[in-house]
Amino acid sequence: MLSLRACKNWKSEEIFLYLLIAIGVLLRLTDIGVPDFSTDEVQATLATSAAWTPLGMQTLRVSQVLFEHSMIAARLTSVLFGIGSLSILYLIARHYMEKKSALLAVAIAAIFPSHILFSRLAFLSIQQSFWWLVLLLMFLNARKCDDKRWLYALFFASVAATMAKTQGLLLPGLFLLGLIVEKKKKVLSDEIFWTLVFSLIPISFYILTHPGILATVMGASDGGAHGVSHPLSRITDLLSMWWRVLGIFLLAILASLSKLKSFSWPLWATLLVGTGLGFLLGPGHAYYATHLVLFALPVAIVLGSMKVKMRGTVFALLLAFTLMTLGPRTLFMNPWLNKHYQSVGFWNVYAEDLNEALAGEEAVTVLGDAGHHLRWYMEPRVYVGKNLQSPYPTDYVILLGVSEAAKIRGKIELVLEGVALVRQEGE
């Protein structure tokens, strides 16, 4: 009788977990057209960054070849990587736990706030996260099964991970270090070791032939915006940023740290890279929190040890937090909604009005905090006026903020929520 009751309880909980996964998939498709396209998203989508490797950018670029100038198409590409990551994470979980706990892990990952957020946006972090998960899975399979096919799969996964974004080489590099420590002198006869070594050849040639990447790395090492300076304050800032994105999920992660002993070193290495990037490259970059989704595995072990009612309560709290911060803005407008969704992006709303007012103009100067996103939204060519002196080289100037008005004499043609279009007076 107890066995039958337990079976019925598990079936009910299994349905609940699949429901959570379905909600997570739907949340990744929610409000993808609300925030403005950011500078990093534009650089990635138009494949214009000299500091990144090409696979991630070209993947987004394909969406523009197929659907022309479409922010939605670019972000839907990220959605596909985010949803695909859930399947890969399940297969990784099955290396360490039975089906029930693996399904718990996927349900946690499905409603994991940072993973949902950056599955909706066209940053490269979601692609990087996907390829690292694939690389980890192939590495685990190659270690477990004496089958050459897994070595080939490992090679291609490593190449994809390194070419998706520059930091991608950190994980195969750490796997190589782990193999050296684990196997010592025997490592030179290990096929997995040499598979990873050869997989780093393409990225090595690419970096050597693209000086923009090395220049960016050298610039980041000077203790500036991306450098390692003031470690204690960086940790404080990082935890503060993670709390804003993850909320009670961060508490669940901290509670699960003792369960990491249940996993092998390849998973620890992946978590080390994922968490370390946030510290090394700056707490201001929230998208590195995408990689924390792998903590769903130790969290699942913690939840699996709880009684069914307690586990249900915890899931309800986690889901409530996710819905309050990332639920559809038409249903969950509240002070806790993520800042990206508290209002529709200015340029998504008003770019058409500005382009209409600038009809026939070949170029426009922009004064204020201008980024690559303006080149995405504006039909005329954009000159950034930061280093220009008046008179500016175009008839019209866009002022981003009232403080910029002192830099120009002219007639205001249009004002839209603090952004003004001014026609210059001749001097």
Side-chain angles (χ1 to χ4, degrees), residues 114 117 141:
S114 63
L117 176 59
N141 287 343

Side-chain angles (χ1 to χ4, degrees), residues 10 50 148 151 174 199 205 224 226 251 283 290 303 367:
W10 165 236
K148 299 289 186 184
L151 293 177
L174 203 55
S199 75
F205 275 113
H226 300 284
L251 299 179
T290 310
L303 292 183
L367 300 179

